[in-house]
Amino acid sequence: MAVARDLKTDSLKFIMIFLVVLGHMGSYNDYNMGLNRIIYSFHMPVFIFLSGYFTSINSTEGKQRSWIKQTLILYVIAQLVHVALEILLRYTDCHLKQIPFDYSFNLIDILFSPRLALWYLLCLVYWRVVAWKISGGLSDAMLLLISVVLAVLSGFIPIDHTFSFQRAFAFSPFFFLGVVFKRRNWMDKLEKMPIQYVIIALLFGLFLAKLLPTYMPRTHYENWHHPVIRVCQSVLGVYLCLLILRISRIGFVKKLSEYGAYTLWVYIGHTYLIVIAGDLFPYLNISLNLFSALAISMIYCLIFVALAKLYKTYSGKLATIL
């Protein structure tokens, strides 16, 4: 029997994936009240929290191996398509400028430095393997404490984007907080928070987010204040994540909840359009403002929602990893 989807969560997931696409649109954010800093302070924390929340800790080993295989195959295919697209665009650029094309490639970079949003697929494998293998033997408090300590200490290790190293550790507390929330049924308690106070607290948190640097935990520390910033951003991320989850429990928009079932398609698919637009828009002298970025982001989302629906219609399957 199919498990009924949580429409409130699906509605929230689509809003978050739309913000992911919007955040990737480019430099227009520098001119619009630090919008990127606000978006990045909570959109991936919420998304990753939900990934932890919907992780089945007690699934069979067969299902776990099947999921890992499926996700890694998806990552490799998506990564290689990105590399092929980059090569094609680079070759086209060299041809138009009539300059020699560089045929040398770094195999390690191609395979293990995820392109754009693909880091999430690798990180999700790391987090779920840890959750399946060791979380059952740890108390919830110890699991969260270890994830927080590793998130802070990881920045001292000089590994950056390769293997999604920094993001895997820096974002891990959000994932394991989701796991703990599910195990302890804390979502019911969260829904009891008075909504008027939650809205006020959320506005205050978003104001603080605008003051901090953009939350991009992909680089190791370069000076003493970077770990302090990571701690502040992580605390603020948890704070905003819980407040947004509380607001999302009020209700849902039917159409958004329908689209929220297809976030995987949007998450991976939009990255190719972002790469193409990054080369094409400057060539066509197209510059974005907030309104055009919002419109194009929604178009990107709807394109891949439509493709996902088409796939579901003909295959009878809903491709998802969450």
Side-chain angles (χ1 to χ4, degrees):
M1 179 181 296
V3 178
R5 297 190 66 90
D6 183 337
L7 298 183
K8 294 178 181 179
T9 299
D10 278 344
S11 189
L12 177 62
K13 283 168 58 181
F14 183 77
I15 293 172
M16 292 302 109
I17 203 64
F18 171 75
L19 293 178
V20 168
V21 178
L22 181 62
H24 286 156
M25 287 305 295
S27 61
Y28 78 93
N29 292 300
D30 296 337
Y31 308 100
N32 288 275
M33 302 174 62
L35 183 58
N36 243 9
R37 289 198 294 276
I38 294 174
I39 291 174
Y40 277 75
S41 67
F42 66 83
H43 73 333
M44 285 314 301
V46 171
F47 216 91
I48 292 167
F49 174 95
L50 293 175
S51 298
Y53 187 81
F54 288 108
T55 294
S56 179
I57 298 299
N58 299 319
S59 62
T60 65
E61 288 191 9
K63 289 183 177 180
Q64 293 173 10
R65 287 194 296 268
S66 176
W67 179 87
I68 292 171
K69 179 181 177 181
Q70 171 192 350
T71 305
L72 289 179
I73 289 174
L74 178 62
Y75 165 75
V76 171
I77 293 174
Q79 178 82 342
L80 291 179
V81 173
H82 256 294
V83 172
L85 178 60
E86 290 173 12
I87 293 172
L88 176 62
L89 291 175
R90 194 189 317 163
Y91 177 83
T92 302
D93 184 59
C94 291
H95 179 73
L96 292 174
K97 294 179 179 178
Q98 297 185 336
I99 58 177
F101 177 67
D102 183 5
Y103 288 91
S104 61
F105 302 102
N106 185 329
L107 185 60
I108 297 297
D109 178 69
I110 287 176
L111 293 178
F112 302 114
S113 291
R115 297 314 198 249
L116 292 178
L118 299 185
W119 62 267
Y120 168 76
L121 295 180
L122 278 185
C123 288
L124 192 56
V125 172
Y126 302 153
W127 297 327
R128 284 192 168 171
V129 168
V130 171
W132 287 328
K133 300 303 180 183
I134 72 170
S135 66
L138 296 174
S139 68
D140 291 338
M142 183 59 66
L143 181 64
L144 291 175
L145 177 61
I146 291 174
S147 68
V148 169
V149 171
L150 291 177
V152 176
L153 294 182
S154 63
F156 291 102
I157 300 175
I159 301 177
D160 188 353
H161 198 50
T162 303
F163 301 105
S164 298
F165 183 86
Q166 291 299 331
R167 282 172 167 161
F169 283 102
F171 281 130
S172 63
F174 301 106
F175 179 86
F176 291 107
L177 180 62
V179 172
V180 171
F181 248 71
K182 184 69 171 183
R183 289 203 299 209
R184 290 183 170 264
N185 295 315
W186 281 348
M187 196 67 79
D188 293 337
K189 295 182 179 179
L190 187 67
E191 291 184 4
K192 296 178 182 179
M193 295 172 61
I195 193 63
Q196 62 270 28
Y197 299 132
V198 170
I199 293 174
I200 294 172
L202 178 62
L203 292 175
F204 175 71
L206 296 177
F207 171 76
L208 292 180
K210 185 177 179 298
L211 301 179
L212 287 172
T214 302
Y215 191 14
M216 296 282 283
R218 65 186 181 194
T219 57
H220 59 88
Y221 303 144
E222 297 178 358
N223 51 54
W224 66 268
H225 64 265
H226 278 184
V228 176
I229 292 175
R230 179 170 291 185
V231 169
C232 292
Q233 289 172 324
S234 299
V235 171
L236 181 60
V238 170
Y239 172 82
L240 292 173
C241 177
L242 296 180
L243 294 174
I244 290 169
L245 284 167
R246 169 63 185 98
I247 292 176
S248 74
R249 306 315 290 175
I250 297 173
F252 63 91
V253 178
K254 184 176 180 180
K255 184 58 67 173
L256 292 186
S257 65
E258 177 188 343
Y259 292 166
Y262 306 107
T263 51
L264 176 64
W265 285 74
V266 178
Y267 194 89
I268 295 177
H270 87 278
T271 61
Y272 301 107
L273 299 183
I274 292 292
V275 170
I276 294 171
D279 276 21
L280 188 60
F281 284 5
Y283 181 76
L284 298 176
N285 292 319
I286 297 176
S287 59
L288 298 178
N289 56 36
L290 177 58
F291 298 105
S292 59
L294 287 168
I296 293 174
S297 298
M298 183 55 69
I299 291 171
Y300 285 2
C301 290
L302 294 180
I303 286 173
F304 290 100
V305 166
L307 289 175
K309 287 184 175 182
L310 188 63
Y311 173 83
K312 183 181 179 182
T313 298
Y314 286 97
S315 70
K317 298 178 182 179
L318 173 60
T320 180
I321 57 174
L322 294 181

